[in-house]
Amino acid sequence: MKLAFVGKGGSGKTTMASLFARRAAALGHPVMAVDADINQHFAAALGLDAEAAAMGPVLGEHLGDIKEYLRGDNPLIPSADLMLKTTPPGPGSRLLTVGESNPVLDRLFTLHEGIRFAATGGFVDDDLGVSCYHSKVGAVELLLNHLVDGPDEFVVVDMVAGAEAFASGMFTRFDHTFLVCEPTLRSVGVYKQYLGYAEDYDVDIAVIGNKIDDEDDVAFLREHVGDALLGWCTRSKYVKAAERGAVGPVADLEPENLAVVDAARRRAVAGGKDWPKFTRQAHEFHRRAARAWGNDRAGVDLADQIVPGYVLGEHLLRAPAV
């Protein structure tokens, strides 16, 4: 399951993503976690050493290596220079799985408490004023396009805050999206903005309330998000301690908050995967990118890389495990 955690900056989406990933791993699920936020805090939330993680290899600096590996011997992609962040796989492309060993994943991902973690990397001095963060996130989009994950596996992506995720088609790369929402008008506003952008693309969105103090907070969220409200987390001493550097076992999270994390996992599994939709939308956004700028840069029609009838992952249709 490919899962996005989104929300207003400061809503707690990174914390919620980390709790989801750590709980799933503790229960024995294969888990991959990716920090795709410009503010790179996912590693620390997962319990990794933040300074060590910042010094390690990052996806955004190895986009060329990722392209070269993924293209494999696909005859429609004779050069990595002809790959965009939207390039879909086809016959001969190298596909990825959550737990496999290969030169790209082994180099760019770190294993921590059963979670394979990687980050896009934040801005460095050479990026300031000349680079767009979406160029770094493109590495994540390419990996997601080529990743064949099962219904009992979880790929948890901490996304950019607000509606910035809609600057590319990456918002369609997820089976389910969890929007973390505080009981405030600004936070609810991000939900409504996200919902408006996503409504034409069959994006599955569930809202997790956060920083809830009382029933008035719950009533506020119910009024503004309705049935999309999956559950809510109260203010947490466990989370406060974790944010101060004391990341304890996830089972020590308050029972009522842990129940919300478990409900999110059950929601994701019950919703299932739709590989034909995933492939169809990958093709749609690749055509868009090719027309908008890719073809001019490459000098060829990159939409010709799309193989009609090719559906990623359709052989994985099987009963999920919760």
Side-chain angles (χ1 to χ4, degrees), residues 214-232:
D214 51 36
E215 283 298 322
D216 287 344
D217 288 344
V218 177
F220 179 87
L221 287 178
R222 282 181 170 148
E223 175 187 355
H224 288 279
V225 309
D227 293 340
L229 184 62
L230 173 67
W232 55 90

Side-chain angles (χ1 to χ4, degrees), residues 23 29 42 76-77 94 100 130 149 170 201 203 211 215 221 224 248 256-257 279 288-289 291-292 297 301 319 321:
R23 176 64 165 171
H29 294 276
F42 200 9
L76 300 178
I77 310 174
R94 285 193 176 100
E100 73 174 67
V130 296
D149 51 300
M170 196 164 82
Y201 297 96
V203 176
K211 304 178 185 178
E215 283 298 322
L221 287 178
H224 288 279
E256 64 274 18
N257 292 335
T279 303
R288 289 189 185 188
R291 287 195 303 266
R297 190 188 73 175
D301 187 356

